[in-house]
Every structure is written in C-alpha cells, then in structure tokens.
C-alpha cells in the first residue's frame, strides 16, 4: 500500500499556530540523509529506500568463541569451518553443529589468512613474525615455514605440485613455499606490502599492493606486470570470477600517501608501524591498517603503463574495480569507508565494508547497489561461500561469525540524527511515503529537547504512530528533535520499504533586529535635499521583513512616519518637506509578512542627530581698504545647523573665484574671510560674495565701491 502525504494535506493538519508562521520542512529521501542516522537491522538502498536488513544468524553461540576479530574463514571437505583470529593468534575449528574448538594457537598475535587444500589440509599465515602454519586432515597443526617477513597477508595454492604462494610485507614479496616448508622469493615489487592474491587456473598470480594501489599480473616465472593502478593507496582484496578480476580498495584517506605512526615491535625486534584509522586496533596488529615505516617513497618507484582508475575517488572513498584480463577497467562500486571483502556469485557482487560493518549487493549492469545487512558495529573482513550455498561473514570488533540468511530481520529501527531548528520550535506533522505489504508495519515516534545531545532532560519518545495522514510529532516546543522509524514484519519474506519521510516545524517567533543604519554625514557637502538612508536587518526565524521610516525633530514629543511597508532596506527622504532642525531617524522592521497580526514582532534602530537645514548662511561684507588700485574685503559668515563648505566671489559680473577662510579651513558654522581683488580700473565696481553650507544652502552679500584715480 502506498501512502503519499501532499504538502497541502500536511498544511491542513498543522495546528493553527504553526500555519501562522513560516513552516519549514525536513525531508529525508536520499542515502546521504542517513549518514548520521543510527540504523539497527535496517538498511538503505542507493535510491534512499529503507528496508529491513537481511537476517544475520550467529554461527557460534555467545561465549563459545572468543576473539577480537576474525580475519579469514575457510571450509574443509567435511564441512568444518576454520576461523583465523586476533588478537590472541588462534585458529578455531567450528563443527557443522556450531561447536567451536581451538585448532591452533600461534605465538603470533594475529592469524591473518587461511587457505584450504584439496587434500583436506588448512594453511594459515600470521603476523607480526610471518609464519606459515599447516593443519593436516587429522587435525595435527604445526609451523611449516618461517618466511622471515613481518606478515603473511594472503595465500594461494598450486595443488599439482603442492606449492604455496605467500603474499608478505614489509618488503613487497611473494614467496613460493615447497611442501617441506622451504620459502624462496618468487616475486619482488617496490611496494611495501603485497596484501591480496588470486590465482588463475593457468597458474597466473594476481597481486594487490599498498602504497600506490597497484595490481600485478605475475607469470609462472615470477615476472610481474602492472595490470592496473587504483585511485586509492591499497588494493585489499581480489577475486577472479566470470573472466575478470575484481579488486577492492581500503585506503582510509582515499589517496596514495605514505603513512607514519607509532611502532609495533615484533618478537625479534623488527620495528613496524600501525596505521591509525577506523579499523585500527589497540593491541596486536591490524591487518587493514599496517604499513612498514617510517620509509619514504622511492624515487624510482614503478610507473605503470597499464590502465589507471577510471575516475578519481574523493577523500575516504574506496572502490571495487572490475579489471578485464586484457587490462580494461570499470568501476562497479564506490563508498565512503573501507572495502574489506568481496564475493562474486552467479547473480550478484557482494561487498563487505568497515567501519560500519555494511554488506552491499551490487548490480554490475546499472551500478545500483543495495545495503542488505549491517552489523551493529565493526568490519566485515571476509565473505566466504560454503558448499551448501550459504554465505559466511567474518567480522571484527568484536570477532564474530554470521550466516547471511535469505530472509528479513523481524524488526529494525532508524533513529535520525539530531535535528537542530536553531531556535525553540513547534514541531508539527510527520508524513512519509512507503510500501507496506501485508504482514508488515511501519511506525514513527519522536522526542525533543533543548540540549544538543539527548539526555534525561529530553522528552520521552512519543507514542508510535502508523497513519501517515494524521501523524504528528507530539513533543513539547524545543530546539532539537529526533524521530524514530520502526519497521516490523510477521512474514520474513517481505519487508516494509520507506521511500521518504518529512517533518514540518515552525520556530517560535522572535523579533527581527535592525543591525545597522547609515545616514549621510551632515558635515559632508551635498547638493540635493534628498537624504539617502540605508540599513541592515536580520530575523532569527528567517522571516520576510517590511520596514517603516520615522523622523522626529528635537523638541517634538512624537515620531512622524514618513514611509511604511518598504520591502527594500533603503529610502530617499526628501528633507525639503520638513522644517529646519536637528532630527533623529528611526527604522522599524516587522516580520508581519510571514506572521499573523497577533504574533508579528518588530525591532527598531534610531540614528544619531541629523541636521535638516534650509536657511542660507548670513553673510556680512565690508570694504577693508583700497591700495594701488586693489581692494581688500572682509566678511563674516554665520551658518545655522551645518558647517560652511565653500565660498566664491565675482567683481563686475566677471568670473567666479574661490575664496577661503582666514584660517584656511571650512570646518565650522562660522568663518571669517579677508581677500583682495585684482588690480581694478578707476571707477565704480560691484562685488558679490556667495557662501555655501554643507546642506547646499547659499548665502549672498554684495558691495558697491569706488576706485579713485591716482593723484
């Protein structure tokens, strides 16, 4: 059954107080929206659909199997499973009935890899002392070879000549180990660790390395050719299937880098380093997080001529590549996190990851993938297909074994990340679109609080609601909220499927603030009587604002509104319509456009005093004297409200000439002037003096005088 709540219907279901303000919507519909959510027995597809996870059945009862991590697992011809573990360096044997016993206990802390031979023998590689162990078909276990390397990461076997190939580190070697345990270097590369191996039926070896993310093809003579270079630093796992080589990468930082960190000491004193990261361990050695060092990258490092990665992965992203044996490459999977295990079946490609312990199923044709299962925490280090068709998952942190069931878990939950409304808010309707088959159910509840991390001060989870048409948060007003979706099924063959979820809320209304007000400086000269006002304003609720402009002259009791309902934060005030005087300007911001009249709030800001001056300066002019046909004049000018800004004079209707105060500065409302004329002809003359103030007002005075003929 599909249920889609439209925006109009949601609005109709909201409380009236919510409809009054600006309603905001939280929408969850894409995989990225669940990155910070907590999922228990629930998974998210690449389309953002949430379903119940496939059921992971524990293979061994709690308490019967004690390991920090399970690195590898294989099955012998009698149906017994063998599990390579750390940090106690044990190999466990798990009988078909689930009973677990210790088959071998190494002096090394980690048993890193396993391999089953056709004769029923089980081989294992260890670290940090690089041992190879053989458990024969009777259960007798012994160290058959010491490679003198730090780590044996992976094993391959040639059944015809009973020869073992061991991928090792920290010197980038593959060893060939004879049946009597003699280990000889077979292949050497300039990488630090050979981390993974795959052997073709014609005897060709494929090897994945760290440091530069190289995949080598090694022929029967030990000659290597770089088949592929990944965008990431580590090729952690390889599998040959369907005429291609699948390679998974596990680089914590995504790029090719040299990692340095704290040292781990081998029992023989050789110093190794342990990478820190999401899959690092506090004791022992982490298979997925080890590099030798510190050691700089050699300048003569191999530069492959083979295919490179088809696209550049981002930081922390890892990939699965399908490499054709002719060298063609196609990326079929990419994910933030570490690709730790691969399993290609006839119909699907399964990818196990860390550190969230997610298991993905990939459709290679479309690159669509679905998360099918998820551990509570930890990593999926190995995916192993048993002869009965089931798939075993070997996990770390803690070390456990699971069998992937072709059925859904009975119940799963999604708890959202904490939603921060930034302000105390009223939380309204919750709606979703989901496919809910018969026998399944989907319910939602919510809780809220005013601290960022949920604690005892938060509200209790609200009652579970199953009807998307009427569901509401039902929590007290608060800044923070979490929602919880519960998925259940009575028929393990089907699961509810959540396509999207939405939540409506409105912050409690808070008053806007006028954060700044700019008015023209009255001391800066201007010609126009229009005064341009500018201001800035913010609203905590992000409401649309309108603005009113008020003015008040000194001595007036009340404010006068000169403009209202402005949508822009600027206004030109025509001061010619107001009497002269000193004024204050007030800007009032209102959130009324997004709120009803009863809930609308406002904020205001008042300027300092601003002069509105219309009266021209008063000019007093006199003749100070005439000497040698040149006249000297004196003037005193008094402005009203603003400083004087300029003066010019003209004689007998001639050109205007600038004149300056006696102190040289136009810096006050009152100025004195003394200035001479040019040489004048005898006779009567007229002088006109104009003085301008900063408000653009002009005062004038004139003087008629006579220049006598020289005697």
């Amino acid at each position: 059954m599909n249920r889609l709540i439209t925006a109009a219907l949601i609005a109709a279901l909201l409380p009236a107080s919510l409809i009054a303000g600006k309603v905001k919507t939280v929408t969850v519909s894409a995989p990225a929206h669940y990155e910070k959510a907590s999922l228990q027995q629930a998974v998210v597809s690449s389309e953002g659909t949430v379903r119940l996870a496939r059921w992971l059945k524990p293979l061994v009862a709690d308490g019967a199997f004690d390991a920090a991590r399970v690195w590898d697992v294989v099955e012998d011809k009698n149906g017994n499973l063998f599990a390579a573990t750390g940090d106690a360096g044990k190999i466990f044997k798990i009988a078909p009935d689930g009973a677990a016993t210790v088959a071998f206990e190494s002096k090394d802390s980690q048993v890193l890899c396993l391999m089953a031979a056709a004769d029923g023998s089980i081989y294992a590689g260890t670290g940090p002392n690089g041992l190879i162990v053989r458990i024969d078909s009777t259960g007798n276990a012994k160290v058959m070879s010491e490679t003198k390397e730090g780590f044996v990461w992976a094993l391959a076997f040639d059944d015809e000549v009973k020869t073992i190939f061991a991928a090792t580190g920290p010197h980038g070697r593959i060893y060939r180990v004879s049946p009597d345990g003699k280990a000889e270097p077979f292949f050497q590369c300039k990488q630090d660790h050979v981390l993974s191996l795959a052997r073709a039926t014609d005897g060709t070896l494929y090897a994945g390395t760290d440091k530069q993310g190289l995949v080598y093809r090694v022929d029967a003579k030990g000659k290597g050719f770089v088949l592929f270079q990944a965008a990431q630093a580590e090729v952690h796992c390889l599998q040959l299937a369907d005429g291609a080589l699948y390679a998974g990468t596990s680089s914590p930082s995504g790029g090719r880098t040299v990692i340095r960190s704290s040292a781990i000491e081998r029992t023989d004193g050789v110093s190794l380093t342990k990478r820190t990261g999401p899959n690092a361990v506090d004791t022992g050695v982490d298979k997925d997080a080890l590099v030798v060092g510190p050691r700089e990258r050699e300048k003569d490092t191999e530069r492959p001529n083979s295919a490179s990665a088809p696209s550049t992965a981002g930081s922390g992203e890892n990939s699965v590549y399908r490499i054709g044996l002719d060298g063609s490459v196609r990326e079929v999977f990419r994910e933030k996190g570490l690709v730790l295990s691969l399993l290609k079946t006839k119909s699907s490609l399964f990818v196990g990851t860390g550190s969230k312990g997610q298991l993905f199923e990939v459709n290679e044709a479309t690159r669509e993938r679905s998360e099918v299962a998820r551990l509570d925490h930890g990593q999926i280090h190995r995916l192993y297909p048993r002869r009965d068709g089931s798939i075993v998952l070997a996990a770390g942190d803690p070390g456990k074994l699971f069998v992937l069931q072709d059925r859904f878990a009975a119940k799963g939950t999604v708890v959202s990340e904490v939603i921060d409304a930034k302000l105390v808010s009223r939380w309204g309707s919750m709606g979703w679109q989901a496919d809910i088959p018969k026998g399944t159910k989907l319910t939602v509840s919510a809780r809220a609080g005013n601290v960022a991390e949920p604690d005892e001060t938060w509200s209790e989870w609200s009652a579970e609601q199953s009807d998307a048409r009427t569901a509401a948060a039902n929590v007290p007003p608060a800044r923070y909220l979490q929602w919880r979706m519960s998925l259940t099924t009575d028929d393990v063959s089907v699961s509810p499927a959540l396509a999207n979820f939405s939540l409506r809320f409105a912050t409690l209304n808070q008053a806007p603030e006028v954060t700044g007000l700019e008015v023209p400086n009255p001391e800066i000269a201007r010609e126009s009587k229009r005064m341009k006002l500018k201001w800035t304003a913010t609203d905590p609720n992000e409401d649309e604002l309108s603005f009113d402009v008020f003015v008040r002259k000194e001595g007036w009791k009340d404010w006068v509104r000169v403009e209202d309902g402005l949508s822009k934060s600027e206004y030109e005030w025509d001061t010619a319509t107001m009497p002269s005087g000193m004024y204050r300007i007030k800007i009032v911001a209102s959130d009324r456009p997004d709120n009803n009249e009863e809930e609308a709030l406002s904020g205001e800001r008042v300027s300092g005093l601003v002069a509105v001056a219309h009266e021209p300066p008063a000019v007093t002019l006199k003749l100070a004297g005439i000497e040698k046909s040149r006249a000297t004049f004196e003037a005193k000018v008094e402005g009203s409200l603003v400083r004087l800004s300029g003066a010019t004079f003209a004689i007998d209707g001639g050109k205007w000439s600038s004149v300056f105060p006696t102190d040289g500065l136009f810096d006050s409302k009152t100025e004195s002037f003394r200035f001479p004329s040019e040489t004048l002809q005898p006779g009567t003359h007229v002088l006109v003096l104009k003085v301008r103030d900063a408000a653009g007002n002009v005062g004038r005075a004139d003087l008629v005088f006579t220049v006598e003929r020289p005697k």
Side-chain angles (χ1 to χ4, degrees):
M1 177 174 67
N2 291 316
R3 293 172 178 166
L4 176 62
I5 303 300
T6 66
L9 180 55
I10 290 174
L13 296 172
L14 286 172
S17 59
L18 269 180
I19 297 173
K22 181 185 287 185
V23 176
K24 300 177 183 179
T25 304
V26 176
T27 301
V28 182
S29 59
H33 297 159
Y34 294 95
E35 284 185 357
K36 296 182 180 179
S38 174
L39 285 78
Q40 299 291 329
Q41 296 299 315
V43 293
V44 184
S45 76
S46 57
E47 292 79 33
T49 301
V50 179
R51 294 182 177 87
L52 288 167
R54 294 266 290 278
W55 188 44
L56 293 177
K57 178 183 177 182
L59 192 62
V60 181
D62 288 341
F65 185 82
D66 183 19
R69 60 207 82 244
V70 181
W71 294 121
D72 202 355
V73 61
V74 294
E75 185 179 27
D76 69 10
K77 60 184 181 180
N78 298 317
N80 300 300
L81 283 177
F82 288 80
T85 72
D87 296 327
K90 296 177 181 179
I91 300 175
F92 287 88
K93 178 181 178 181
I94 299 97
D97 62 2
T101 57
V102 176
F104 177 76
E105 187 167 357
S106 174
K107 67 178 182 180
D108 271 359
S109 61
Q110 310 293 323
V111 181
L112 298 170
C113 57
L114 294 170
M115 179 187 63
D119 65 0
S121 299
I122 303 295
Y123 294 89
T126 75
N129 286 290
L131 308 178
I132 296 177
V133 177
R134 180 175 184 265
I135 304 174
D136 65 23
S137 58
T138 66
N140 182 43
K142 68 176 183 177
V143 175
M144 67 169 291
S145 180
E146 297 185 10
T147 65
K148 306 302 182 183
E149 297 288 341
F151 304 92
V152 177
W153 296 117
L155 297 170
F157 196 68
D158 184 338
D159 273 309
E160 290 186 8
V161 295
K162 310 301 181 186
T163 299
I164 299 170
F165 294 93
T168 70
H171 302 112
R173 294 173 183 152
I174 298 175
Y175 283 82
R176 180 164 50 195
V177 184
S178 64
D180 61 1
K182 184 179 179 181
E184 295 179 337
F186 174 69
F187 169 74
Q188 171 82 57
C189 65
K190 293 180 180 179
Q191 309 305 296
D192 291 336
H193 295 263
V194 181
L195 297 172
S196 50
L197 283 179
R199 185 174 183 273
T201 55
D202 65 359
T204 301
L205 282 177
Y206 296 91
T209 69
D210 72 344
K211 193 175 178 182
Q212 288 188 304
L214 302 181
V215 176
Y216 291 87
R217 182 178 62 212
V218 184
D219 64 20
K221 296 181 180 181
K223 171 65 176 177
F225 174 79
V226 176
L227 186 65
F228 173 66
Q229 181 176 23
Q232 300 86 354
E234 290 187 0
V235 177
H236 182 82
C237 45
L238 294 172
Q239 184 183 359
L240 281 164
D242 297 340
L245 179 67
Y246 292 83
T249 70
S250 62
S251 297
S253 61
R256 303 185 186 103
T257 57
V258 175
I259 308 294
R260 300 172 181 264
S261 56
S262 60
I264 298 175
E265 294 293 331
R266 257 178 33 169
T267 55
D268 60 3
V270 176
S271 178
L272 303 170
T273 62
K274 180 177 68 174
R275 175 175 311 146
T276 58
N279 61 332
V281 292
D282 295 327
T283 60
V285 180
D286 188 342
K287 176 182 177 183
D288 308 305
L290 285 161
V291 293
V292 173
R295 185 174 117 184
E296 297 295 337
R297 185 175 299 171
E298 297 95 336
K299 292 184 179 179
D300 61 342
T301 297
E302 296 138 308
R303 295 293 179 187
N305 295 319
S306 61
S308 294
S311 61
T312 301
S315 178
E317 290 185 325
N318 284 283
S319 306
V320 176
Y321 301 100
R322 185 186 189 277
I323 308 168
L325 300 188
D326 59 357
S328 61
V329 180
R330 180 163 57 93
E331 185 184 57
V332 295
F333 177 86
R334 183 183 293 183
E335 175 68 15
K336 286 185 177 180
L338 307 176
V339 174
L340 302 179
S341 51
L342 295 174
L343 177 60
K344 180 68 174 70
T345 66
K346 290 183 179 180
S347 58
S348 298
L349 172 65
F350 291 95
V351 182
T353 69
S355 60
K356 295 181 180 179
Q358 295 167 280
L359 177 63
F360 294 93
E361 187 174 12
V362 181
N363 182 322
E364 288 190 65
T366 64
R367 283 190 59 183
E368 293 180 355
R369 85 286 179 81
S370 297
E371 185 184 358
V372 295
R374 180 184 295 209
L375 306 179
D376 290 342
H377 53 82
Q379 305 90 32
I380 301 174
H381 292 296
R382 184 74 158 96
L383 295 169
Y384 186 81
R386 301 189 75 172
R387 285 193 294 272
D388 63 5
S390 64
I391 298 173
V392 176
L393 280 68
D397 292 333
K400 290 189 176 182
L401 291 170
F402 299 93
V403 177
L404 180 66
Q405 301 286 297
D406 190 17
R407 52 173 287 187
F408 292 104
K411 181 177 181 180
T413 59
V414 179
V415 178
S416 76
E417 65 179 298
V418 173
I419 299 167
D420 183 2
K422 306 301 183 184
L423 298 169
V424 174
S425 302
R426 289 185 291 261
W427 301 90
S429 67
M430 299 186 292
W432 57 88
Q433 182 180 10
D435 181 31
I436 307 176
K438 184 179 180 181
T440 69
K441 190 175 182 181
L442 188 152
T443 63
V444 67
S445 61
R447 63 178 178 178
N450 284 311
V451 293
E453 292 294 330
D455 61 12
E456 69 279 0
T457 68
W458 275 48
S459 69
E460 299 294 330
W461 287 104
S462 64
E464 298 285 343
Q465 300 171 77
S466 59
D467 191 341
R469 297 169 299 179
T470 59
N474 294 334
V475 295
R479 173 174 171 172
Y480 302 99
L481 178 134
Q482 271 188 313
W483 55 269
R484 181 182 66 194
M485 188 71 69
S486 298
L487 301 88
T488 58
T489 182
D490 295 329
D491 179 354
V492 295
S493 66
V494 292
S495 168
L498 173 68
N500 57 61
F501 174 83
S502 63
L503 168 68
R504 298 295 178 106
F505 71 97
T507 54
L508 296 182
N509 199 25
Q510 297 195 27
E513 179 183 2
V514 182
T515 54
L517 173 57
E518 296 179 18
V519 298
N521 186 339
E523 299 302 313
I524 297 176
R526 62 183 186 272
E527 298 296 330
S528 174
K529 291 294 183 180
R530 291 184 173 274
M531 187 180 295
K532 191 164 187 177
L533 311 175
K534 293 184 177 181
W535 58 91
T536 55
T538 61
D539 185 81
N541 307 92
E542 300 179 355
D543 288 338
E544 183 181 342
L545 300 177
S546 63
F547 305 99
D548 296 345
V549 182
F550 296 82
V551 299
R552 185 177 67 188
K553 182 181 175 182
E554 287 290 276
W556 290 357
K557 179 180 178 181
D558 298 316
W559 291 91
V560 174
R561 190 197 308 266
V562 295
E563 189 61 78
D564 62 359
L566 292 172
S567 58
K568 295 183 178 180
S569 54
E570 60 181 44
Y571 175 67
E572 280 197 356
W573 176 32
D574 186 1
T575 62
T577 63
M578 290 289 170
S580 294
M582 299 301 294
Y583 285 79
R584 295 186 188 275
I585 299 165
K586 180 171 70 173
I587 305 298
V588 178
S590 171
D591 61 10
R592 178 68 182 86
D594 274 340
N595 293 276
N596 61 32
E597 189 171 352
E598 292 75 17
E599 293 194 348
L601 298 173
S602 62
E604 63 184 47
R605 194 175 190 92
V606 177
S607 74
L609 289 171
V610 179
V612 173
H614 301 312
E615 289 76 17
V619 183
T620 302
L621 179 64
K622 69 177 182 178
L623 178 66
I626 300 175
E627 184 177 353
K628 295 181 181 181
S629 299
R630 296 183 69 182
T632 299
F633 308 98
E634 292 181 348
K636 187 165 186 176
V637 183
E638 292 186 1
S640 57
L641 298 171
V642 295
R643 72 175 179 88
L644 303 177
S645 62
T648 57
F649 71 92
I651 297 177
D652 299 337
K655 68 177 183 180
W656 292 97
S657 300
S658 297
V659 61
F660 292 88
T662 54
D663 63 1
L665 298 174
F666 285 102
D667 59 357
S668 68
K669 299 182 185 71
T670 301
E671 299 287 359
S672 296
F673 298 84
R674 183 180 175 86
F675 56 96
S677 70
E678 299 292 329
T679 300
L680 300 172
Q681 296 294 323
T684 300
H685 300 275
V686 60
L687 167 74
V688 176
L689 176 65
K690 294 194 302 184
V691 182
R692 184 176 63 255
D693 66 15
N697 302 303
V698 178
R700 304 167 64 99
D702 58 79
L703 177 67
V704 177
F705 62 96
T706 301
V707 177
E708 301 290 342
R709 288 182 181 276
K711 293 182 180 180

